[in-house]
Short mmCIF file of all heavy atoms in Angstrom, two decimals:
data_model
loop_
_atom_site.label_atom_id
_atom_site.label_comp_id
_atom_site.label_asym_id
_atom_site.label_seq_id
_atom_site.Cartn_x
_atom_site.Cartn_y
_atom_site.Cartn_z
N SER A 912 10.17 51.40 -18.17
CA SER A 912 11.57 51.01 -18.34
C SER A 912 12.33 52.16 -18.99
O SER A 912 11.76 53.00 -19.69
CB SER A 912 11.70 49.75 -19.21
OG SER A 912 11.28 50.02 -20.53
N LYS A 913 13.64 52.21 -18.74
CA LYS A 913 14.49 53.24 -19.32
C LYS A 913 15.84 52.61 -19.66
O LYS A 913 16.50 52.02 -18.81
CB LYS A 913 14.68 54.40 -18.35
CG LYS A 913 15.48 55.56 -18.94
CD LYS A 913 15.62 56.69 -17.93
CE LYS A 913 16.42 57.85 -18.53
NZ LYS A 913 16.62 58.94 -17.54
N ASN A 914 16.23 52.76 -20.92
CA ASN A 914 17.45 52.15 -21.42
C ASN A 914 18.61 53.13 -21.27
O ASN A 914 18.60 54.22 -21.85
CB ASN A 914 17.25 51.76 -22.88
CG ASN A 914 18.33 50.83 -23.38
OD1 ASN A 914 19.09 50.29 -22.58
ND2 ASN A 914 18.39 50.65 -24.68
N ASN A 915 19.61 52.75 -20.47
CA ASN A 915 20.79 53.59 -20.26
C ASN A 915 22.02 52.94 -20.89
O ASN A 915 21.95 51.83 -21.42
CB ASN A 915 21.02 53.82 -18.77
CG ASN A 915 19.82 54.46 -18.09
OD1 ASN A 915 19.25 55.42 -18.61
ND2 ASN A 915 19.41 53.91 -16.96
N LYS A 916 23.16 53.61 -20.78
CA LYS A 916 24.40 53.11 -21.37
C LYS A 916 24.79 51.75 -20.78
O LYS A 916 25.07 50.80 -21.52
CB LYS A 916 25.53 54.12 -21.15
CG LYS A 916 26.90 53.61 -21.57
CD LYS A 916 28.00 54.59 -21.18
CE LYS A 916 29.38 54.01 -21.45
NZ LYS A 916 30.46 54.93 -21.02
N SER A 917 24.80 51.63 -19.46
CA SER A 917 25.33 50.43 -18.82
C SER A 917 24.30 49.68 -17.99
O SER A 917 24.63 48.71 -17.33
CB SER A 917 26.52 50.78 -17.93
OG SER A 917 26.12 51.70 -16.92
N ASN A 918 23.06 50.13 -18.01
CA ASN A 918 22.00 49.41 -17.30
C ASN A 918 20.66 49.77 -17.90
O ASN A 918 20.55 50.65 -18.75
CB ASN A 918 22.03 49.71 -15.79
CG ASN A 918 21.82 51.18 -15.48
OD1 ASN A 918 20.80 51.76 -15.84
ND2 ASN A 918 22.80 51.80 -14.83
N ILE A 919 19.65 49.09 -17.43
CA ILE A 919 18.29 49.37 -17.87
C ILE A 919 17.39 49.43 -16.65
O ILE A 919 17.49 48.61 -15.74
CB ILE A 919 17.80 48.31 -18.88
CG1 ILE A 919 16.48 48.72 -19.53
CG2 ILE A 919 17.72 46.93 -18.28
CD1 ILE A 919 16.13 47.91 -20.76
N GLU A 920 16.56 50.47 -16.56
CA GLU A 920 15.67 50.65 -15.42
C GLU A 920 14.37 49.89 -15.67
O GLU A 920 13.72 50.10 -16.70
CB GLU A 920 15.39 52.14 -15.21
CG GLU A 920 16.62 52.95 -14.86
CD GLU A 920 16.34 54.44 -14.74
OE1 GLU A 920 15.17 54.78 -14.41
OE2 GLU A 920 17.25 55.24 -14.98
N LEU A 921 14.01 49.02 -14.73
CA LEU A 921 12.80 48.21 -14.85
C LEU A 921 11.86 48.53 -13.70
O LEU A 921 11.85 47.84 -12.68
CB LEU A 921 13.14 46.73 -14.85
CG LEU A 921 14.07 46.23 -15.97
CD1 LEU A 921 14.46 44.79 -15.72
CD2 LEU A 921 13.41 46.38 -17.32
N ASP A 922 11.14 49.60 -13.83
CA ASP A 922 10.15 49.97 -12.81
C ASP A 922 10.78 50.12 -11.42
O ASP A 922 11.21 51.20 -11.06
CB ASP A 922 9.01 48.94 -12.79
CG ASP A 922 7.78 49.48 -12.06
OD1 ASP A 922 7.74 50.69 -11.81
OD2 ASP A 922 6.88 48.70 -11.75
N LYS A 923 10.92 49.02 -10.65
CA LYS A 923 11.39 49.11 -9.26
C LYS A 923 12.85 48.71 -9.07
O LYS A 923 13.34 48.70 -7.95
CB LYS A 923 10.51 48.21 -8.38
CG LYS A 923 9.05 48.65 -8.32
CD LYS A 923 8.27 47.69 -7.43
CE LYS A 923 6.80 48.10 -7.37
NZ LYS A 923 6.01 47.16 -6.53
N GLU A 924 13.55 48.34 -10.14
CA GLU A 924 14.94 47.93 -9.98
C GLU A 924 15.74 48.19 -11.24
O GLU A 924 15.19 48.44 -12.32
CB GLU A 924 15.03 46.46 -9.57
CG GLU A 924 14.50 45.50 -10.58
CD GLU A 924 14.53 44.05 -10.07
OE1 GLU A 924 15.18 43.78 -9.07
OE2 GLU A 924 13.86 43.21 -10.70
N LEU A 925 17.05 48.13 -11.08
CA LEU A 925 17.98 48.29 -12.19
C LEU A 925 18.53 46.93 -12.59
O LEU A 925 18.72 46.05 -11.74
CB LEU A 925 19.15 49.20 -11.80
CG LEU A 925 18.84 50.67 -11.50
CD1 LEU A 925 20.09 51.36 -10.95
CD2 LEU A 925 18.38 51.37 -12.77
N ALA A 926 18.79 46.75 -13.88
CA ALA A 926 19.41 45.52 -14.37
C ALA A 926 20.60 45.89 -15.25
O ALA A 926 20.54 46.85 -16.03
CB ALA A 926 18.41 44.69 -15.17
N SER A 927 21.67 45.13 -15.09
CA SER A 927 22.87 45.39 -15.88
C SER A 927 23.42 44.06 -16.39
O SER A 927 23.53 43.10 -15.63
CB SER A 927 23.93 46.09 -15.01
OG SER A 927 25.06 46.42 -15.77
N THR A 928 23.75 44.00 -17.69
CA THR A 928 24.18 42.74 -18.31
C THR A 928 25.62 42.84 -18.82
O THR A 928 26.01 43.84 -19.43
CB THR A 928 23.24 42.34 -19.45
OG1 THR A 928 21.90 42.28 -18.96
CG2 THR A 928 23.61 40.98 -20.01
#
Side-chain angles (χ1 to χ4, degrees):
S912 67
K913 184 180 180 182
N914 194 13
N915 302 314
K916 173 187 173 182
S917 60
N918 61 59
I919 189 165
E920 297 176 27
L921 300 172
D922 196 13
K923 296 179 181 179
E924 63 184 346
L925 294 173
S927 184
T928 305

